[in-house]
Amino acid sequence: MFPRVPLILAPTPLHRLPKLSERLGLDLWIKRDDLTGFAMGGNKGRKLEYLIADALQQGADTVVTCGSIQSNFVRQLGAACARYGLSCAAATMSLPYLSPAEKPKVPGLRSTGGNALLDELLGVDLRVYPDGTWDELYAAAASLADELRKAGRKVYEVPVGGSSALGAYAFSQAGKELMDQAAAGFSTEGAESENTATYTKEFDWIVFASSSGSTHTGLAYAFHGTQTNVLGIACDPEPDLADDFQALYEKLEALTGQSRPMRRADWRLDLRFVGPGYGIPSEAGRQAIHLMARSEGIFLDPIYSGKAFAGLLALAEAGDIGGRVLFWHTGGHPALFAMD
C-alpha cells in the first residue's frame, strides 16, 4: 500500500517454548524479531522499511532522529541509511527522563560498547547531550535538523523509535504476518504431528515490550475485533503513554483510511515492570534474561524484552494470563554488551 524498501528477512520465526510452557502451565510461543537478519536484528527494521522508502521518495539525503546512546533504533537506522546512501545523525543522551523530579538515581547502561560501538562503525553522526528531559532531547533533535538544513542538507526527521503513523503501519503488517503464520500452521518444536492442529487457533494473548508506541499501536490495530488480547509491558514510567498511543492510533487510521475505533480505556498497558526507570536494567528483568537463556537458549535484552518477559512471568504465575500466549521478542541484543 505504501512505498517500502527491503531490509529484513520475513516472516521471522515463530515457535513454541516447551520448557517454559511446562513451567508456567500455559502454551507459550515466541515471535523472533531478534532474527530479522538486519543490523543484528530487532523489530525496528520493520518500521525502517517504510520510513527509509518515504525519506528517499521525498528526496532526502540525511535522516535525523533521537534516543538514548544505547538506542536500538539509532543503530538500525544507521545501518539502513548506510545501505541506501543516506547520512544519519542522532541527538542522544545517556538517560533521558520524563521530568526533573523523575531523574534516575541509579546508573543505566554504559555509554560505550553495545549499540554505541555499532553506531560508530556505521558512521552515524552521534551527538551526545547532557542528560535531561525527553522534551529537551526532542528540542535538541529539532535543532540538529535545522543545523543540517542550514548546511544544505535535505533532512528527513524521524521521531524517537520510528513511532510515526508509517512505523505503526509497519507493525500492523507484522500482525498480519503472524496471523498468516498461525492460519497456515507452523512448527511445533518436536510436538507430535497429530497435535499440530491445536496450534492453528488464535493466540489468547500477545505480550511485548511497549515504549514509544508504534509496535503497540500497530499490533492493536491488526488484532482489533479479534479474540486476541494485545498487552504491552511498559518500559517507560510514563502514566500517560496510552494517551500517546491513542493519538498515534488515530493517525494510523487516517493513514490507512480504515476506521477501527478504539478508546483510550481499551489499551492494555502494564506499568508495573519498568523497574528503576527507562534505560535502567531491573532485577526482575535480569532474572527473566537468565531464565530464558537457561531454559530455551534465547537471549533477551535488559531494557525492553527482559522487562517485558519479567512481566509475562509475573502475570502467568498470578494466573492473570493463560491459554495460548505469544511473547513477541523485539530484539536489542547489543545492549547486553553495555551492562555492568
Side-chain angles (χ1 to χ4, degrees):
M1 185 175 183
F2 300 102
R4 175 175 160 265
V5 298
L7 288 175
I8 71 167
L9 302 176
T12 54
L14 174 68
H15 61 85
R16 192 168 185 266
L17 299 175
K19 290 183 179 178
L20 287 171
S21 290
E22 182 177 358
R23 178 187 179 114
L24 297 174
L26 46 78
D27 188 14
L28 183 62
W29 292 72
I30 188 167
K31 178 72 166 151
R32 301 291 302 276
D33 270 14
D34 58 318
L35 300 178
T36 55
F38 175 70
M40 297 196 73
N43 68 327
K44 309 298 187 184
R46 293 184 182 275
K47 308 170 191 184
L48 287 165
E49 291 191 325
Y50 292 93
L51 293 167
I52 293 296
D54 192 45
L56 293 171
Q57 189 175 62
Q58 294 190 30
D61 57 30
T62 303
V63 181
V64 173
T65 194
C66 64
S68 70
I69 290 176
Q70 289 295 342
S71 166
N72 295 307
F73 179 70
V74 172
R75 177 241 311 167
Q76 291 183 76
L77 174 61
C81 285
R83 183 162 175 176
Y84 285 95
L86 299 167
S87 296
C88 179
T92 68
M93 296 176 176
S94 289
L95 277 179
Y97 45 83
L98 188 60
S99 69
E102 295 172 275
K103 183 176 180 178
K105 296 178 175 59
V106 294
L109 300 177
R110 294 194 302 272
S111 59
T112 57
N115 284 308
L117 170 63
L118 298 177
D119 292 340
E120 181 183 351
L121 293 176
L122 291 164
V124 176
D125 179 4
L126 202 67
R127 307 288 183 94
V128 182
Y129 298 85
D131 284 355
T133 67
W134 281 105
D135 284 342
E136 289 170 334
L137 182 57
Y138 300 152
S143 178
L144 175 57
D146 287 343
E147 172 195 325
L148 294 171
R149 286 192 183 98
K150 288 174 182 174
R153 302 285 187 86
K154 296 177 181 177
V155 175
Y156 182 87
E157 295 181 69
V158 178
V160 64
S163 286
S164 65
L166 267 181
Y169 174 77
F171 243 85
S172 72
Q173 298 304 106
K176 211 168 153 263
E177 175 183 301
L178 175 62
M179 291 178 191
D180 290 343
Q181 284 178 300
F186 37 82
S187 166
T188 59
E189 288 292 304
E192 296 297 327
S193 58
E194 59 264 29
N195 293 333
T196 301
T198 65
Y199 299 125
T200 59
K201 65 183 178 67
E202 289 183 334
F203 287 102
D204 296 297
W205 293 87
I206 298 175
V207 182
F208 52 91
S210 188
S211 182
S212 59
S214 48
T215 298
H216 198 154
T217 300
L219 290 177
Y221 184 84
F223 287 93
H224 186 276
T226 72
Q227 297 302 307
T228 299
N229 297 290
V230 174
L231 171 63
I233 305 297
C235 298
D236 287 304
E238 185 177 343
D240 297 328
L241 272 179
D243 293 325
D244 297 337
F245 297 174
Q246 181 67 27
L248 185 56
Y249 190 91
E250 290 166 8
K251 291 177 182 177
L252 177 57
E253 287 183 302
L255 182 70
T256 62
Q258 298 178 9
S259 178
R260 300 182 182 182
M262 188 159 170
R263 301 166 302 157
R264 164 66 173 77
D266 293 333
W267 294 92
R268 289 187 172 89
L269 179 67
D270 198 321
L271 291 153
R272 294 176 295 165
F273 303 98
V274 175
Y278 174 77
I280 304 172
S282 68
E283 182 54 36
R286 290 177 187 270
Q287 292 177 14
I289 290 169
H290 289 171
L291 179 62
M292 179 68 86
R294 295 172 186 183
S295 299
E296 306 288 354
I298 296 171
F299 299 111
L300 304 176
D301 86 284
I303 304 305
Y304 298 102
S305 57
K307 291 182 179 183
F309 194 63
L312 186 155
L313 291 172
L315 291 165
E317 288 166 0
D320 293 331
I321 61 173
R324 186 169 180 237
V325 178
L326 175 75
F327 179 68
W328 199 302
H329 189 339
T330 51
H333 293 150
L336 287 168
F337 302 101
M339 290 178 67
D340 287 322

